[in-house]
Amino acid sequence: MPGAEAIEGFIRAGINANWLLTGQGEMLLSEAVGAAAPPGVASIKEQEKKIDDSEFELVPYLDIEASAGNGSLIDQELQTSQMAFRRDWLIQRGLQSSKCTLIKARGDSMEPTIHDGDLLLVDRRIVSIKDDAIYIIESENHLVVKRVQQALDGSLIIISDNPRYEKQVISPERARELKITGRVRWYGHEI
């Protein structure tokens, strides 16, 4: 039998003490009929609402891909789902969830940094080269994800992190025509 301190810990975690000691009733306090959570302990549903409302923001996931290779055709931007990011994490990075989207990378030209199938969190407020970083570039209805460096003469150096791919130099004139659709601020992949 658990001691009083252990039982108190279970109650704080939302476990029904009656269920714990006797096996009767619902396991979770929020499911117990007529049972109220102890003072200072929020029910599971209240905890979920508190987390959703105060700690996380949802970023839309679009069914489009940015090629880490030769380019992926933009058919249509369809939101297929959303992903939650901690609000404080977004704020620390100067990001606004309403101005960000998640898209998928396709290809191997950005490996070992970005892998085929990785999720990319894109800040869509960034529509010009501000510093050496990874950007989403639209060219002739194709999206590519590349590292971009700006030279002093205004030309751009388009870099693939994979050494098998050569750098591309874009003239200052052509660089002014290049459409930047966002800056990659985070990427994630499965192990």
Side-chain angles (χ1 to χ4, degrees), residues 119-189:
L119 281 180
L120 308 175
L121 176 66
V122 180
D123 185 349
R124 294 182 79 169
R125 295 175 301 170
I126 309 296
V127 293
S128 62
I129 305 301
K130 300 211 180 287
D131 51 16
D132 296 348
I134 299 174
Y135 293 91
I136 304 297
I137 302 167
E138 183 178 341
S139 176
E140 299 174 10
N141 260 2
H142 288 81
L143 290 181
V144 293
V145 55
K146 296 290 180 187
R147 189 173 303 279
V148 182
Q149 293 179 346
Q150 190 163 28
L152 293 176
D153 67 357
S155 61
L156 296 177
I157 304 166
I158 311 295
I159 302 167
S160 297
D161 286 2
N162 188 331
R164 295 184 330 176
Y165 294 84
E166 292 187 25
K167 297 178 182 177
Q168 299 175 29
V169 178
I170 307 293
S171 69
E173 296 77 29
R174 173 101 165 85
R176 285 191 281 278
E177 298 169 6
L178 202 63
K179 184 176 180 187
I180 303 298
T181 60
R183 178 179 170 189
V184 176
R185 298 300 306 268
W186 172 88
Y187 57 89
H189 61 265

Side-chain angles (χ1 to χ4, degrees), residues 52-98:
D52 289 344
D53 291 346
S54 66
E55 293 185 37
F56 292 91
E57 292 191 25
L58 297 174
V59 174
Y61 173 70
L62 303 181
D63 188 22
I64 58 175
E65 298 176 343
S67 176
N70 294 325
S72 183
L73 186 64
I74 304 170
D75 290 327
Q76 190 174 355
E77 291 185 9
L78 296 174
Q79 180 177 334
T80 59
S81 63
Q82 297 174 320
M83 186 172 178
F85 285 83
R86 288 188 57 89
R87 179 175 284 134
D88 58 345
W89 185 88
L90 291 168
I91 290 170
Q92 288 171 357
R93 286 152 184 80
L95 298 172
Q96 299 172 7
S97 61
S98 63

